[in-house]
Amino acid sequence: MSAGWLLRRLLLVAYTVLVVSVLVFAITQVLPADAAVTLLGENATPEALAAVRDRLGLNDPVWLQYWRWLTHAVAGDFGLSMRTGQPVAPMMLVALSRSLLLALLSILLMLAIAVPLGLWAALRQGRAADLLTGLVSYIGVSVPEFVTATVLLMLLADWLQWLPATGYVPPGEDLWDSLAHLALPVITVSVIMVAHVSRMVRSETIDVLHSDYIRAARLKGLPERAVLLHHTLRNALLPVITIVALDVGYLLGGIIVVEEIFAIPGIGRQLIVAITARDLPAIQAGALIMAMTYAIVSTLADIAYALLDRRIRYD
C-alpha cells in the first residue's frame, strides 16, 4: 500500500463528501419549508418574516448560501436547531455516538455467530446442517426489522420479562443497565447481518477448500485444524471485511426503524424528528455526518483489506 494510493483514497473521500454536501443542501432547498415561518410561527407578520430572512441570508443567491453553509460546516458549525435553538453539531455527534455503539455491538454479535455458522455449513456442505443454515439465512434476510423487533419485544420483554422493552441508558451511568437496554435492538439488527454474512462465509470457505494451496497443505501432512485455521479461515474471511463496511451503511440508515421502535436517541431517530419538524440545519447536519461516517469506514475497510491480503497491490 503506497502513500500515493492512500492520498488518492483520501481525496476520493473528500470528493464524495463534497458531492453529498451539494445534494443535501439542494434537497433541503426544495423542501416545502420556510425557515422564517418555522422560527416565528404561522402568525408572524410579513415584516418580521422578511427581517428574519434577511438576517439568515435567505435572500442571497443559492450558491452564496451553500458556500456560507459549507465553510461553517467544515469548521464544525452547522448552525442552530430551529426546533430547540441549540447548536446542531454537538446534538448530532452525541446521537451518532449512540448509533455507532449500537452498530459496533451488533457487528460483534454478528461476527460471533455468523463466522462459526458459515464455517460449520461449509464443512458439512449438502448435509442437514448446511440446509438448516441456509434456511435460517433466508428467513433472516426475508423478515423485516420491525417484525423481528416486535417478536423479540413480545417474547423477551413482555412474556419472559428478561430485558427492558425500550429506552436508552448511557454506558457511563450504568454499564450493565445500558447493555440490558441495548440487548433487544442489537439482536434485532444482528439477525439480518448474520443471514448474509454467514452465507458469504460459507461460499468463500467452500471456494477456498477447493483451491490448490489447500490441497497442497494437506499433502504436506499439516493437521486439519492448522489447515482450517491458518489457511482456510484467514482467506475466507477477507471478503467479510467488505461486507462489514457495507453493513455500516445499512446500520446508519437501516437502524432508523430499530431506533424508533426501541426509543434509542441515535442519529437516525434524530433525523426523523428533524424531518418531521422541518428543522433544516439538523437535516443537513445529520445527512452529511452519516455520509462522512460511511465514507470513512469504507476507506478504513480498504486499508484493512490491503494490510491483510499481501497479494493485493495498491500502487
Side-chain angles (χ1 to χ4, degrees):
M1 183 175 61
S2 65
W5 174 85
L6 184 59
L7 178 61
R8 289 195 299 272
R9 197 66 181 83
L10 294 176
L11 290 175
L12 180 60
V13 171
Y15 174 74
T16 303
V17 173
L18 180 63
V19 171
V20 171
S21 71
V22 173
L23 294 175
V24 168
F25 189 83
I27 291 172
T28 54
Q29 290 301 300
V30 299
L31 286 177
D34 187 331
V37 175
T38 303
L39 288 172
L40 299 181
E42 298 286 346
N43 298 322
T45 63
E47 293 78 12
L49 293 174
V52 169
R53 292 191 187 101
D54 186 62
R55 178 170 59 86
L56 296 178
L58 300 179
N59 296 322
D60 295 335
V62 175
W63 67 266
L64 181 58
Q65 295 183 47
Y66 168 73
W67 176 251
R68 186 187 301 119
W69 172 76
L70 182 63
T71 53
H72 284 84
V74 169
D77 180 13
F78 288 95
L80 300 178
S81 169
M82 295 180 179
R83 181 173 58 90
T84 64
Q86 300 297 317
V88 170
M91 176 181 68
M92 284 298 176
L93 290 176
V94 170
L96 177 65
S97 68
R98 294 165 181 162
S99 294
L100 289 177
L101 176 61
L102 174 58
L104 176 62
L105 293 176
S106 301
I107 289 173
L108 292 176
L109 178 61
M110 175 271 293
L111 291 175
I113 298 173
V115 172
L117 191 62
L119 184 62
W120 183 52
L123 295 176
R124 289 160 177 78
Q125 184 182 4
R127 302 179 187 176
D130 186 19
L131 297 176
L132 179 61
T133 302
L135 177 62
V136 171
S137 298
Y138 281 118
I139 293 175
V141 171
S142 304
V143 178
E145 296 98 327
F146 69 89
V147 175
T148 304
T150 303
V151 171
L152 290 174
L153 277 170
M154 292 175 58
L155 179 63
L156 299 179
D158 188 20
W159 294 348
L160 299 177
Q161 296 185 356
W162 286 353
L163 296 169
T166 59
Y168 176 81
V169 176
E173 292 184 8
D174 189 328
L175 179 60
W176 293 112
D177 196 23
S178 176
L179 293 175
H181 280 82
L182 286 171
L184 284 178
V186 164
I187 296 172
T188 302
V189 173
S190 299
V191 166
I192 295 177
M193 292 194 298
V194 165
H196 30 85
V197 172
S198 63
R199 291 168 62 188
M200 172 65 73
V201 172
R202 174 192 177 275
S203 176
E204 292 295 327
T205 302
I206 290 173
D207 289 343
V208 171
L209 287 173
H210 289 89
S211 61
D212 292 336
Y213 63 88
I214 294 298
R215 284 193 288 268
R218 285 170 171 164
L219 289 173
K220 289 179 181 179
L222 291 177
E224 189 66 18
R225 181 183 181 88
V227 171
L228 290 176
L229 293 180
H230 299 292
H231 298 280
T232 305
L233 192 59
R234 178 178 179 180
N235 291 284
L237 289 183
L238 282 174
V240 175
I241 297 174
T242 304
I243 296 298
V244 170
L246 293 174
D247 278 337
V248 170
Y250 153 73
L251 288 172
L252 291 179
I255 60 176
I256 293 177
V257 176
V258 176
E259 290 180 352
E260 188 67 22
I261 292 174
F262 293 103
I264 297 176
I267 193 166
R269 194 161 186 253
Q270 290 288 351
L271 199 53
I272 288 180
V273 172
I275 292 173
T276 304
R278 288 182 167 79
D279 189 347
L280 298 184
I283 295 172
Q284 294 168 341
L288 189 59
I289 289 173
M290 290 172 70
M292 289 175 60
T293 304
Y294 181 59
I296 292 171
V297 170
S298 298
T299 302
L300 293 177
D302 288 344
I303 295 173
Y305 209 106
L307 294 175
L308 292 174
D309 193 346
R310 300 296 182 180
R311 298 170 298 175
I312 300 176
R313 292 182 59 85
Y314 294 100
D315 297 323

